[in-house]
Amino acid sequence: MEALRQDDPRRIGPYTVLARCRETASAVQYLAHDTAADRPVVVTAARPELAALPAFRRRFQAEARTADRLAGGWVQPQLDTPADDADDDLPWTAGPYVPALTLSEAIKLVGPLPERAVRILGAGIAETLSRVHATGAVLQGLAPGTVLLAEDGPRLTAFGPLGAAVAAEARPGGQLSVRLGYLTPEQVDGEEPGPASDLFVLGLLLAYAGTGTTPLADGPAAEGAERIARTDPELGAVPEELRDLIARCLAKDPADRPSAGTVAAELALEGAAGLAKGDWLPERLTAAVTEQEVRVQELVSAGRSVDAPADGPADGPADVAPSGAPADVPGRELAPARDTRTTQLGDIGRHVPRTDRPTTQLSVPLELTAPPAAPAAGLPAVLPPVAAPPPRPLPVPAAPAPASPAVGRRSLFIGLAAGAAGLVVGGGGVLALGSGDGGTTDDPKPAPSRSGPTVAGLPPQPRWVYTHPAAEPPPLTAALWNGRLLVLSSENGATGVDLRTGRRVWENTDAAKGQAALPAGQDLCFVAGPSEFLWLSPKDGKVAHRAGYADGFTGAPNLAVSGVVGTFGPVVWFTGSNKVTVKAPAPKKGKKRGKDTQVVKSYLFAYDVLQRKELWRTTVPTGRGPAAPVYRLIAVGQDDFVVRQSTGTLTPGDVKAAKGKAVFRGFDQKTGKLLWSRSFGTIAPDGAAMGDDRGLLYAAVGDDLQAFEIPAGKPKWTLNGTTGTPYGTPVATGTLLHTTNRNQEVGAIERETGRLRWRRSTEAAPGTAAPAVTLSTTGRTLLAADGAQVTAFAAQDGRRLWKFQDIGSQDPKGPTVTAPYRVLAAGKTAVVQRDRIFYAFPVA
């Protein structure tokens, strides 16, 4: 830790600066005190000589946004950034302080790490890389100084070339010159890095962690670049159990390197967090981390900065490890000399991800994922890639400085080798970002993507990624409101997330365990809670109106609502029950009066959320419990709607009477009158079924999919299936019905005839449930979600568009996330959920 210098700020944003942590090529990292929360934070402030460059500010902000999107697991969440209209001269970010040492500091202190520590380190990094690569992006943020070793596992602190740079300087014409550390063979040969490039650098890091030296890259920089491109690595000192995996990571051909998910699985099948339980660091490192934490707490308790004497900075070990990007490079001169031998390249951060088949290789091996779970009723539950340019011999700035010369592959190689002096470990390359505004895609404000994927099989760039805080309970339900909000409910409350930006805009504890999130006009959001209906303001989440169940329905005191059945326009249907006292009959002469009894009376309600009034209620048979039955909406016709009772609320008498078949009921929309009740064919009580407004019911019957006329029950057509792979719930659009089955296939058939139009496999392993299928609002894109991935198809002809897979947010002290994927569609956005993480993908 180092005392503050005379020109260091004493306050950045809302934080009181206490000491210097370390200075990197692009920023200074300060230990600061968050007085509002009384906690230490690390503030990363841009170096003043670079902050004046528009190209630097854009890159700094872009990498900060990337860190924010990746928050969770082994990436610390950001606490704060300046507001867009702030007057701050220097861009900055703030993140929580984590007691930790960088990998380079740890190696200097204790030498090579034990094999188990190397496994945990590599698995943690690979798990995050898998999230990044699932979108086709490249991290480019790995170096010995950008990886932290904390008591519960590793942390990543750099999220792009700027954060991992070993030198950065302003050049004439407003250009930013960034010099990289570790190189890869493809970069030395003048190619742009792809996802496999991160695996090569990971191999170098793991070898460094296990031996204290870096194969290929150690020694003079020019020689290191040549060895990286042409020489096989010497891995004799690497622990034998890790040697083969590291050798595969260091393959010259990117296609021969394993995926990040494969590396994570081979290093720690149970996940890095599972393997890291208990002490994973050598005793000396643990002691050093503990000592660092004590010193930081002492500073925070004192509440004052460590000021330097007037004649210069105080000396002291740089042992406070920050948790946010950009990260440090130990041993580097604080003010890198001007490098006049750099090669001018195009925009940094633009990548052409590699793919070795029409649909991209998935990042996580199947053995790491859970079996697909049955889709929840009502829900069909990283790093975004930079838009990939067309392949070209060499990228050029979109708005180059006048003096920037054109270069070829040969001059690129020479420039990379010549400009590598002074790197932490051998090898290096220089990138230049021009000053023109047209030359970058890194606008600090989120903007909708205007294009689909540019590489076959890779998903489009997410508009945003939202991670629900780990300190809060996971979301129970998710719904889209008016195409403007993603509304999440949990045990503690409801959260509103702006559908345009992915930013949390409000929280409301009154709406805990809520359901539905329906539009009540353009001004209010309706939520059905456990004890009341709520109308929330979409701007701040405050309650505008409420209607309690216990006293809000005339003639039904102490009403208990069982659940929302479904919705149609402003009308919500739900079931509820209350206890009614039945008086004993008048006794016969000379006899005592009997006791009054209480019985449960159940109802089906129709409620208008716009007018906030009950439309009708009709008495229905009480379910198991005793309580109101739980109905699920199957179809909405012209004048009626069809429901089926959930099997868990069927009484033994109901089960016996049904004789192993599902019973469907039709109710009049205007009056609630029961119109009919019947079974269709041999549809099982829990068999997949849905109906349409044309009077047809489509359902899984054994291994087949059948269509029936409603309400007559006459079979219309049958689509034969494969033995042992029953159909899931289909969805309809236009003249087509989109199908799904347990063999992980989706397809399209004609609704009237059942004739098959197309059928495609998602290429996921067969599981215990069919994928849940969702159509985009336009009906042009079909998304199939299961426990392993989300696959997008063109709805009309079945062309496989892309796949998406995320290793999941991971609690460093908990198990790997195995929650299934879910998809919600609104407008031209598909929100993909996996547990706490939500991705907003543009779709047709």
Side-chain angles (χ1 to χ4, degrees):
M1 194 180 306
E2 185 179 312
L4 295 176
R5 301 175 185 176
Q6 288 184 336
D7 57 348
D8 282 330
R10 267 47 180 179
R11 192 167 184 84
I12 300 177
Y15 306 109
T16 301
V17 179
L18 301 178
R20 277 184 167 235
C21 292
R22 54 173 58 87
E23 187 173 1
T24 75
S26 60
V28 180
Q29 296 167 334
Y30 297 99
L31 175 69
H33 184 205
D34 180 357
T35 53
D38 192 23
R39 60 181 171 182
V41 299
V42 171
V43 179
T44 302
R47 288 166 54 97
E49 61 269 31
L50 300 176
L53 296 177
F56 175 88
R57 298 180 77 95
R58 288 194 297 270
R59 172 57 55 179
F60 186 94
Q61 291 162 350
E63 294 187 14
R65 291 200 308 275
T66 296
D68 193 37
R69 290 165 178 159
L70 276 176
W74 307 116
V75 177
Q76 291 298 114
Q78 291 192 103
L79 298 176
D80 203 2
T81 56
D84 292 339
D85 56 354
D87 295 329
D88 299 73
D89 293 331
L90 301 179
W92 58 269
T93 63
Y97 161 73
V98 175
L101 300 177
T102 66
L103 176 59
S104 54
E105 291 167 342
I107 296 299
K108 289 177 182 178
L109 184 62
V110 301
L113 301 179
E115 180 201 339
R116 175 169 171 264
V118 176
R119 283 185 176 276
I120 294 168
L121 170 68
I125 296 174
E127 286 166 5
T128 302
L129 288 179
S130 186
R131 294 169 56 195
V132 174
H133 296 169
T135 65
V138 187
L139 185 68
Q140 285 193 285
L142 298 180
T146 67
V147 177
L148 300 183
L149 308 185
E151 288 187 334
D152 57 357
R155 298 290 193 281
L156 297 187
T157 67
F159 306 95
L162 187 62
V166 297
E169 63 177 337
R171 292 182 55 80
Q175 284 192 322
L176 168 66
S177 175
V178 175
R179 189 154 33 143
L180 303 177
Y182 285 142
L183 278 182
T184 66
E186 52 269 31
Q187 287 174 297
V188 172
D189 285 341
E191 299 176 7
E192 293 191 23
S197 302
D198 283 337
L199 272 299
F200 187 91
V201 178
L202 178 58
L204 294 176
L205 276 181
L206 295 182
Y208 175 70
T211 65
T213 61
T214 305
L216 303 177
D218 281 345
E223 296 177 9
E226 179 65 23
R227 285 195 301 272
I228 284 172
R230 314 286 177 238
T231 307
D232 291 333
E234 174 53 54
L235 302 177
V238 172
E240 183 177 356
E241 295 80 359
L242 303 176
R243 199 172 299 157
D244 176 69
L245 179 61
I246 292 176
R248 284 185 283 134
C249 289
L250 295 177
K252 303 300 182 188
D253 187 345
D256 293 335
R257 298 170 200 157
S259 69
T262 298
V263 172
E266 291 192 25
L267 289 174
L269 186 58
E270 69 272 53
L275 188 59
K277 290 179 179 177
D279 294 334
W280 74 286
L281 294 175
E283 186 175 343
R284 287 183 61 192
L285 290 184
T286 301
V289 170
T290 301
E291 180 183 355
Q292 178 196 112
E293 183 177 16
V294 170
R295 295 181 62 192
V296 169
Q297 291 299 335
E298 289 175 350
L299 267 181
V300 172
S301 298
R304 58 184 179 84
S305 62
V306 179
D307 289 309
D311 58 350
D315 294 328
D319 61 352
V320 177
S323 60
D328 77 309
V329 181
R332 187 191 57 77
E333 293 183 3
L334 297 182
R338 177 185 175 92
D339 184 354
T340 59
R341 297 174 293 176
T342 60
T343 301
Q344 301 299 307
L345 302 182
D347 299 350
I348 56 177
R350 300 174 67 89
H351 313 297
V352 182
R354 293 176 177 267
T355 178
D356 58 0
R357 62 182 184 184
T359 54
T360 186
Q361 292 282 352
L362 300 180
S363 303
V364 183
L366 296 173
E367 59 267 24
L368 281 185
T369 60
L379 290 175
V382 172
L383 172 65
V386 179
R392 54 190 179 185
L394 189 69
V396 294
S404 296
V407 295
R409 287 184 180 271
R410 178 60 183 166
S411 60
L412 171 64
F413 172 75
I414 295 173
L416 292 175
L423 303 184
V424 176
V425 284
V430 179
L431 306 175
L433 187 63
S435 60
D437 291 337
T440 179
T441 59
D442 295 317
D443 193 307
K445 297 180 180 179
S449 174
R450 292 186 293 272
S451 63
T454 56
V455 180
L458 295 179
Q461 176 180 352
R463 292 189 169 114
W464 49 259
V465 180
Y466 168 77
T467 301
H468 201 62
E472 300 179 15
L476 298 172
T477 65
L480 299 179
W481 178 84
N482 268 356
R484 292 164 52 190
L485 282 180
L486 170 66
V487 181
L488 311 176
S489 72
S490 70
E491 294 284 348
N492 286 0
T495 298
V497 178
D498 190 309
L499 201 56
R500 183 183 63 85
T501 64
R503 295 284 183 179
R504 178 190 287 214
V505 292
W506 53 258
E507 302 169 64
N508 187 306
T509 57
D510 290 337
K513 304 179 184 179
Q515 301 179 59
L518 306 173
Q522 293 297 314
D523 301 321
L524 294 174
C525 174
F526 169 84
V527 174
S531 61
E532 60 184 341
F533 288 154
L534 298 170
W535 287 260
L536 309 180
S537 165
K539 294 182 179 179
D540 54 20
K542 293 182 179 179
V543 177
H545 309 283
R546 59 175 85 225
Y549 305 146
D551 56 5
F553 292 85
T554 304
N558 300 314
L559 180 71
V561 171
S562 293
V564 172
V565 177
T567 65
F568 184 64
V571 177
V572 58
W573 296 300
F574 65 95
T575 56
S577 63
N578 70 324
K579 290 183 179 180
V580 178
T581 300
V582 178
K583 292 187 176 182
K588 294 182 180 179
K589 189 174 182 180
K591 299 291 185 180
K592 289 185 178 181
R593 181 183 178 86
K595 291 184 178 180
D596 295 342
T597 59
Q598 282 193 326
V599 296
V600 174
K601 194 171 183 179
S602 298
Y603 312 91
L604 173 64
F605 291 85
Y607 193 93
D608 189 312
V609 301
L610 192 57
Q611 301 181 56
R612 300 198 301 278
K613 72 174 185 178
E614 178 184 332
L615 300 178
W616 52 254
R617 76 180 73 169
T618 188
T619 304
V620 295
T622 297
R624 181 182 298 177
V630 175
Y631 290 149
R632 291 288 176 256
L633 184 65
I634 299 297
V636 179
Q638 296 296 325
D639 302 310
D640 63 352
F641 64 98
V642 182
V643 303
R644 179 176 61 178
Q645 189 169 340
S646 296
T647 55
T649 66
L650 292 171
T651 66
D654 294 332
V655 175
K656 185 177 180 180
K659 298 180 180 179
K661 301 177 184 179
V663 176
F664 299 86
R665 295 179 173 90
F667 293 90
D668 186 274
Q669 287 190 35
K670 292 183 178 180
T671 66
K673 179 183 177 181
L674 177 64
L675 301 177
W676 53 266
S677 176
R678 64 165 302 141
S679 297
F680 292 83
T682 57
I683 303 173
D686 57 354
M690 65 83 63
D692 61 18
D693 58 356
R694 301 182 181 185
L696 289 180
L697 176 72
Y698 312 98
V701 179
D703 296 321
D704 303 329
L705 184 68
Q706 285 189 274
F708 300 88
E709 294 179 353
I710 299 175
K714 179 181 177 181
K716 189 172 178 67
W717 51 255
T718 299
L719 178 66
N720 294 325
T722 304
T723 302
T725 58
Y727 283 90
T729 304
V731 295
T733 178
T735 62
L736 296 181
L737 181 74
H738 294 282
T739 64
T740 173
N741 64 41
R742 200 177 294 178
N743 202 34
Q744 307 306 301
E745 294 173 324
V746 297
I749 60 177
E750 294 176 358
R751 291 166 68 176
E752 286 296 318
T753 65
R755 186 173 71 88
L756 182 66
R757 292 278 290 271
W758 59 262
R759 181 179 290 160
R760 301 284 186 272
S761 173
T762 66
E763 298 184 349
T768 59
V773 288
T774 305
L775 278 165
S776 63
T777 304
T778 63
R780 294 169 57 189
T781 304
L782 181 71
L783 299 113
D786 54 37
Q789 64 193 44
V790 174
T791 312
F793 300 87
Q796 190 64 30
D797 58 17
R799 285 179 297 110
R800 191 179 292 108
L801 302 177
W802 48 264
K803 295 180 182 178
F804 173 74
Q805 188 177 55
D806 177 8
I807 200 167
S809 110
Q810 183 166 339
D811 178 355
K813 297 181 180 179
T816 300
V817 171
T818 56
Y821 294 85
R822 294 177 176 176
V823 177
L824 298 170
K828 293 186 177 181
T829 298
V831 177
V832 174
Q833 175 192 3
R834 193 175 192 213
D835 195 49
R836 295 177 178 273
I837 305 182
F838 296 80
Y839 302 85
F841 288 106
V843 292

PDB file of all heavy atoms in Angstrom, residues 302-330:
ATOM      1  N   ALA A 302      -9.726   4.349  10.819  1.00  0.00           N
ATOM      2  CA  ALA A 302      -9.144   5.656  11.096  1.00  0.00           C
ATOM      3  C   ALA A 302      -9.871   6.744  10.305  1.00  0.00           C
ATOM      4  O   ALA A 302      -9.948   7.894  10.732  1.00  0.00           O
ATOM      5  CB  ALA A 302      -7.658   5.653  10.760  1.00  0.00           C
ATOM      6  N   GLY A 303     -10.342   6.370   9.127  1.00  0.00           N
ATOM      7  CA  GLY A 303     -11.147   7.304   8.337  1.00  0.00           C
ATOM      8  C   GLY A 303     -10.378   8.446   7.747  1.00  0.00           C
ATOM      9  O   GLY A 303     -10.929   9.486   7.428  1.00  0.00           O
ATOM     10  N   ARG A 304      -9.069   8.295   7.572  1.00  0.00           N
ATOM     11  CA  ARG A 304      -8.299   9.389   6.978  1.00  0.00           C
ATOM     12  C   ARG A 304      -7.304   8.814   5.980  1.00  0.00           C
ATOM     13  O   ARG A 304      -6.931   7.643   6.035  1.00  0.00           O
ATOM     14  CB  ARG A 304      -7.551  10.186   8.056  1.00  0.00           C
ATOM     15  CG  ARG A 304      -6.600   9.351   8.896  1.00  0.00           C
ATOM     16  CD  ARG A 304      -5.972  10.174  10.011  1.00  0.00           C
ATOM     17  NE  ARG A 304      -5.083   9.361  10.833  1.00  0.00           N
ATOM     18  CZ  ARG A 304      -3.829   9.112  10.542  1.00  0.00           C
ATOM     19  NH1 ARG A 304      -3.308   9.592   9.419  1.00  0.00           N
ATOM     20  NH2 ARG A 304      -3.066   8.382  11.344  1.00  0.00           N
ATOM     21  N   SER A 305      -6.890   9.648   5.085  1.00  0.00           N
ATOM     22  CA  SER A 305      -5.990   9.190   4.028  1.00  0.00           C
ATOM     23  C   SER A 305      -4.566   9.082   4.544  1.00  0.00           C
ATOM     24  O   SER A 305      -4.179   9.706   5.525  1.00  0.00           O
ATOM     25  CB  SER A 305      -6.037  10.162   2.850  1.00  0.00           C
ATOM     26  OG  SER A 305      -5.603  11.438   3.265  1.00  0.00           O
ATOM     27  N   VAL A 306      -3.777   8.269   3.828  1.00  0.00           N
ATOM     28  CA  VAL A 306      -2.348   8.159   4.103  1.00  0.00           C
ATOM     29  C   VAL A 306      -1.656   9.139   3.175  1.00  0.00           C
ATOM     30  O   VAL A 306      -1.534   8.895   1.975  1.00  0.00           O
ATOM     31  CB  VAL A 306      -1.846   6.721   3.843  1.00  0.00           C
ATOM     32  CG1 VAL A 306      -0.366   6.626   4.119  1.00  0.00           C
ATOM     33  CG2 VAL A 306      -2.613   5.745   4.702  1.00  0.00           C
ATOM     34  N   ASP A 307      -1.247  10.282   3.693  1.00  0.00           N
ATOM     35  CA  ASP A 307      -0.677  11.332   2.852  1.00  0.00           C
ATOM     36  C   ASP A 307       0.828  11.216   2.791  1.00  0.00           C
ATOM     37  O   ASP A 307       1.499  10.858   3.765  1.00  0.00           O
ATOM     38  CB  ASP A 307      -1.050  12.715   3.388  1.00  0.00           C
ATOM     39  CG  ASP A 307      -2.521  13.013   3.159  1.00  0.00           C
ATOM     40  OD1 ASP A 307      -2.970  12.844   2.016  1.00  0.00           O
ATOM     41  OD2 ASP A 307      -3.215  13.389   4.132  1.00  0.00           O
ATOM     42  N   ALA A 308       1.370  11.544   1.645  1.00  0.00           N
ATOM     43  CA  ALA A 308       2.807  11.476   1.438  1.00  0.00           C
ATOM     44  C   ALA A 308       3.459  12.762   1.893  1.00  0.00           C
ATOM     45  O   ALA A 308       2.837  13.817   1.929  1.00  0.00           O
ATOM     46  CB  ALA A 308       3.089  11.243  -0.047  1.00  0.00           C
ATOM     47  N   PRO A 309       4.747  12.720   2.229  1.00  0.00           N
ATOM     48  CA  PRO A 309       5.464  13.959   2.524  1.00  0.00           C
ATOM     49  C   PRO A 309       5.555  14.825   1.277  1.00  0.00           C
ATOM     50  O   PRO A 309       5.357  14.359   0.171  1.00  0.00           O
ATOM     51  CB  PRO A 309       6.845  13.462   2.980  1.00  0.00           C
ATOM     52  CG  PRO A 309       6.972  12.086   2.392  1.00  0.00           C
ATOM     53  CD  PRO A 309       5.589  11.534   2.378  1.00  0.00           C
ATOM     54  N   ALA A 310       5.874  16.080   1.507  1.00  0.00           N
ATOM     55  CA  ALA A 310       5.833  17.045   0.410  1.00  0.00           C
ATOM     56  C   ALA A 310       6.824  16.735  -0.683  1.00  0.00           C
ATOM     57  O   ALA A 310       6.634  17.113  -1.831  1.00  0.00           O
ATOM     58  CB  ALA A 310       6.089  18.454   0.958  1.00  0.00           C
ATOM     59  N   ASP A 311       7.931  16.036  -0.376  1.00  0.00           N
ATOM     60  CA  ASP A 311       8.948  15.830  -1.390  1.00  0.00           C
ATOM     61  C   ASP A 311       8.707  14.589  -2.227  1.00  0.00           C
ATOM     62  O   ASP A 311       9.506  14.253  -3.080  1.00  0.00           O
ATOM     63  CB  ASP A 311      10.333  15.765  -0.749  1.00  0.00           C
ATOM     64  CG  ASP A 311      10.414  14.650   0.295  1.00  0.00           C
ATOM     65  OD1 ASP A 311       9.354  14.086   0.638  1.00  0.00           O
ATOM     66  OD2 ASP A 311      11.532  14.355   0.754  1.00  0.00           O
ATOM     67  N   GLY A 312       7.641  13.892  -2.074  1.00  0.00           N
ATOM     68  CA  GLY A 312       7.393  12.741  -2.941  1.00  0.00           C
ATOM     69  C   GLY A 312       6.608  11.689  -2.250  1.00  0.00           C
ATOM     70  O   GLY A 312       6.255  11.790  -1.090  1.00  0.00           O
ATOM     71  N   PRO A 313       6.347  10.602  -2.961  1.00  0.00           N
ATOM     72  CA  PRO A 313       5.526   9.529  -2.409  1.00  0.00           C
ATOM     73  C   PRO A 313       6.276   8.700  -1.400  1.00  0.00           C
ATOM     74  O   PRO A 313       7.489   8.589  -1.439  1.00  0.00           O
ATOM     75  CB  PRO A 313       5.181   8.703  -3.657  1.00  0.00           C
ATOM     76  CG  PRO A 313       6.326   8.954  -4.583  1.00  0.00           C
ATOM     77  CD  PRO A 313       6.764  10.352  -4.333  1.00  0.00           C
ATOM     78  N   ALA A 314       5.516   8.120  -0.483  1.00  0.00           N
ATOM     79  CA  ALA A 314       6.111   7.202   0.478  1.00  0.00           C
ATOM     80  C   ALA A 314       6.253   5.843  -0.150  1.00  0.00           C
ATOM     81  O   ALA A 314       5.513   5.462  -1.026  1.00  0.00           O
ATOM     82  CB  ALA A 314       5.225   7.113   1.722  1.00  0.00           C
ATOM     83  N   ASP A 315       7.268   5.097   0.312  1.00  0.00           N
ATOM     84  CA  ASP A 315       7.469   3.762  -0.205  1.00  0.00           C
ATOM     85  C   ASP A 315       6.679   2.775   0.622  1.00  0.00           C
ATOM     86  O   ASP A 315       6.486   2.938   1.817  1.00  0.00           O
ATOM     87  CB  ASP A 315       8.958   3.383  -0.159  1.00  0.00           C
ATOM     88  CG  ASP A 315       9.777   4.257  -1.101  1.00  0.00           C
ATOM     89  OD1 ASP A 315       9.199   4.653  -2.141  1.00  0.00           O
ATOM     90  OD2 ASP A 315      10.945   4.541  -0.805  1.00  0.00           O
ATOM     91  N   GLY A 316       6.288   1.700   0.013  1.00  0.00           N
ATOM     92  CA  GLY A 316       5.569   0.652   0.721  1.00  0.00           C
ATOM     93  C   GLY A 316       5.152  -0.418  -0.238  1.00  0.00           C
ATOM     94  O   GLY A 316       5.030  -0.197  -1.431  1.00  0.00           O
ATOM     95  N   PRO A 317       4.967  -1.616   0.246  1.00  0.00           N
ATOM     96  CA  PRO A 317       4.563  -2.720  -0.624  1.00  0.00           C
ATOM     97  C   PRO A 317       3.179  -2.505  -1.187  1.00  0.00           C
ATOM     98  O   PRO A 317       2.283  -2.054  -0.498  1.00  0.00           O
ATOM     99  CB  PRO A 317       4.584  -3.942   0.305  1.00  0.00           C
ATOM    100  CG  PRO A 317       4.367  -3.362   1.676  1.00  0.00           C
ATOM    101  CD  PRO A 317       5.023  -2.025   1.658  1.00  0.00           C
ATOM    102  N   ALA A 318       3.018  -2.818  -2.449  1.00  0.00           N
ATOM    103  CA  ALA A 318       1.696  -2.712  -3.095  1.00  0.00           C
ATOM    104  C   ALA A 318       0.949  -4.001  -2.878  1.00  0.00           C
ATOM    105  O   ALA A 318       0.962  -4.889  -3.696  1.00  0.00           O
ATOM    106  CB  ALA A 318       1.864  -2.431  -4.581  1.00  0.00           C
ATOM    107  N   ASP A 319       0.312  -4.130  -1.734  1.00  0.00           N
ATOM    108  CA  ASP A 319      -0.300  -5.410  -1.397  1.00  0.00           C
ATOM    109  C   ASP A 319      -1.803  -5.332  -1.235  1.00  0.00           C
ATOM    110  O   ASP A 319      -2.410  -6.226  -0.713  1.00  0.00           O
ATOM    111  CB  ASP A 319       0.325  -5.975  -0.111  1.00  0.00           C
ATOM    112  CG  ASP A 319       0.103  -5.054   1.077  1.00  0.00           C
ATOM    113  OD1 ASP A 319      -0.400  -3.931   0.871  1.00  0.00           O
ATOM    114  OD2 ASP A 319       0.432  -5.457   2.209  1.00  0.00           O
ATOM    115  N   VAL A 320      -2.424  -4.255  -1.667  1.00  0.00           N
ATOM    116  CA  VAL A 320      -3.880  -4.183  -1.628  1.00  0.00           C
ATOM    117  C   VAL A 320      -4.392  -4.464  -3.030  1.00  0.00           C
ATOM    118  O   VAL A 320      -4.138  -3.707  -3.954  1.00  0.00           O
ATOM    119  CB  VAL A 320      -4.356  -2.797  -1.162  1.00  0.00           C
ATOM    120  CG1 VAL A 320      -5.873  -2.726  -1.196  1.00  0.00           C
ATOM    121  CG2 VAL A 320      -3.842  -2.535   0.250  1.00  0.00           C
ATOM    122  N   ALA A 321      -5.063  -5.577  -3.196  1.00  0.00           N
ATOM    123  CA  ALA A 321      -5.473  -6.005  -4.524  1.00  0.00           C
ATOM    124  C   ALA A 321      -6.848  -5.475  -4.858  1.00  0.00           C
ATOM    125  O   ALA A 321      -7.803  -5.759  -4.166  1.00  0.00           O
ATOM    126  CB  ALA A 321      -5.481  -7.524  -4.593  1.00  0.00           C
ATOM    127  N   PRO A 322      -6.967  -4.702  -5.926  1.00  0.00           N
ATOM    128  CA  PRO A 322      -8.287  -4.219  -6.307  1.00  0.00           C
ATOM    129  C   PRO A 322      -9.082  -5.310  -6.986  1.00  0.00           C
ATOM    130  O   PRO A 322      -8.533  -6.302  -7.404  1.00  0.00           O
ATOM    131  CB  PRO A 322      -7.972  -3.080  -7.285  1.00  0.00           C
ATOM    132  CG  PRO A 322      -6.677  -3.499  -7.905  1.00  0.00           C
ATOM    133  CD  PRO A 322      -5.919  -4.232  -6.830  1.00  0.00           C
ATOM    134  N   SER A 323     -10.383  -5.078  -7.099  1.00  0.00           N
ATOM    135  CA  SER A 323     -11.240  -6.091  -7.705  1.00  0.00           C
ATOM    136  C   SER A 323     -11.898  -5.629  -8.978  1.00  0.00           C
ATOM    137  O   SER A 323     -12.758  -6.290  -9.504  1.00  0.00           O
ATOM    138  CB  SER A 323     -12.338  -6.505  -6.719  1.00  0.00           C
ATOM    139  OG  SER A 323     -13.117  -5.383  -6.389  1.00  0.00           O
ATOM    140  N   GLY A 324     -11.534  -4.487  -9.496  1.00  0.00           N
ATOM    141  CA  GLY A 324     -12.187  -4.011 -10.705  1.00  0.00           C
ATOM    142  C   GLY A 324     -11.189  -3.756 -11.800  1.00  0.00           C
ATOM    143  O   GLY A 324     -10.007  -3.615 -11.595  1.00  0.00           O
ATOM    144  N   ALA A 325     -11.613  -3.663 -13.043  1.00  0.00           N
ATOM    145  CA  ALA A 325     -10.747  -3.413 -14.178  1.00  0.00           C
ATOM    146  C   ALA A 325     -10.440  -1.930 -14.255  1.00  0.00           C
ATOM    147  O   ALA A 325     -11.208  -1.103 -13.841  1.00  0.00           O
ATOM    148  CB  ALA A 325     -11.420  -3.876 -15.450  1.00  0.00           C
ATOM    149  N   PRO A 326      -9.297  -1.540 -14.840  1.00  0.00           N
ATOM    150  CA  PRO A 326      -8.213  -2.363 -15.320  1.00  0.00           C
ATOM    151  C   PRO A 326      -7.335  -2.874 -14.189  1.00  0.00           C
ATOM    152  O   PRO A 326      -7.410  -2.384 -13.082  1.00  0.00           O
ATOM    153  CB  PRO A 326      -7.445  -1.431 -16.237  1.00  0.00           C
ATOM    154  CG  PRO A 326      -8.340  -0.266 -16.501  1.00  0.00           C
ATOM    155  CD  PRO A 326      -9.174  -0.148 -15.265  1.00  0.00           C
ATOM    156  N   ALA A 327      -6.434  -3.823 -14.470  1.00  0.00           N
ATOM    157  CA  ALA A 327      -5.637  -4.457 -13.433  1.00  0.00           C
ATOM    158  C   ALA A 327      -4.174  -4.099 -13.568  1.00  0.00           C
ATOM    159  O   ALA A 327      -3.737  -3.493 -14.523  1.00  0.00           O
ATOM    160  CB  ALA A 327      -5.826  -5.958 -13.492  1.00  0.00           C
ATOM    161  N   ASP A 328      -3.366  -4.555 -12.600  1.00  0.00           N
ATOM    162  CA  ASP A 328      -1.985  -4.101 -12.514  1.00  0.00           C
ATOM    163  C   ASP A 328      -1.043  -4.980 -13.294  1.00  0.00           C
ATOM    164  O   ASP A 328      -1.344  -6.085 -13.690  1.00  0.00           O
ATOM    165  CB  ASP A 328      -1.547  -4.099 -11.046  1.00  0.00           C
ATOM    166  CG  ASP A 328      -1.245  -5.502 -10.579  1.00  0.00           C
ATOM    167  OD1 ASP A 328      -2.094  -6.396 -10.777  1.00  0.00           O
ATOM    168  OD2 ASP A 328      -0.169  -5.695 -10.045  1.00  0.00           O
ATOM    169  N   VAL A 329       0.149  -4.452 -13.500  1.00  0.00           N
ATOM    170  CA  VAL A 329       1.244  -5.222 -14.067  1.00  0.00           C
ATOM    171  C   VAL A 329       2.440  -5.014 -13.157  1.00  0.00           C
ATOM    172  O   VAL A 329       3.094  -3.987 -13.223  1.00  0.00           O
ATOM    173  CB  VAL A 329       1.571  -4.748 -15.499  1.00  0.00           C
ATOM    174  CG1 VAL A 329       2.690  -5.579 -16.074  1.00  0.00           C
ATOM    175  CG2 VAL A 329       0.344  -4.831 -16.371  1.00  0.00           C
ATOM    176  N   PRO A 330       2.741  -5.962 -12.253  1.00  0.00           N
ATOM    177  CA  PRO A 330       3.822  -5.775 -11.294  1.00  0.00           C
ATOM    178  C   PRO A 330       5.150  -5.571 -12.003  1.00  0.00           C
ATOM    179  O   PRO A 330       5.448  -6.210 -13.012  1.00  0.00           O
ATOM    180  CB  PRO A 330       3.806  -7.076 -10.489  1.00  0.00           C
ATOM    181  CG  PRO A 330       2.431  -7.631 -10.695  1.00  0.00           C
ATOM    182  CD  PRO A 330       2.036  -7.206 -12.058  1.00  0.00           C
TER     183      PRO A 330
END
